[in-house]
Amino acid sequence: MKVIWFKKWGWTYLPVHPIGIVITLLAMLFLVPIYAAIVRNGHSVSDDLYKMFVYTTCTAFWWKWIADKTSSNAE
């Protein structure tokens, strides 16, 4: 029997299993020290946002990939 970690909800996914919640929290916690380092060493807001964009999109891509593969409509 397949365990469902996420449920598709519109264009995003909701964690419906404790493992899905842990994956989501780990993705968010991963970004906290990165954002802190970017802001601490940044020179301007636009430079900070450009650097944050790279890490945020990569993290969001892998989170969505995991969510898609473990959702109720994955085949």
Side-chain angles (χ1 to χ4, degrees):
M1 184 172 162
K2 182 179 174 186
V3 177
I4 305 299
W5 294 359
F6 292 88
K7 178 182 174 188
K8 187 144 178 74
W9 185 60
W11 53 272
T12 189
Y13 296 88
L14 290 175
V16 294
H17 191 274
I19 296 174
I21 294 169
V22 168
I23 295 293
T24 303
L25 290 175
L26 285 175
M28 290 188 287
L29 287 174
F30 170 74
L31 292 173
V32 170
I34 291 172
Y35 288 171
I38 289 171
V39 170
R40 181 178 57 242
N41 298 321
H43 299 290
S44 69
V45 174
S46 62
D47 287 345
D48 293 351
L49 291 175
Y50 279 125
K51 291 174 186 174
M52 287 178 184
F53 176 79
V54 173
Y55 288 101
T56 304
T57 54
C58 289
T59 304
F61 169 80
W62 287 112
W63 177 85
K64 188 208 175 286
W65 185 81
I66 292 170
D68 185 52
K69 296 298 180 189
T70 61
S71 68
S72 57
N73 56 348
E75 297 183 25

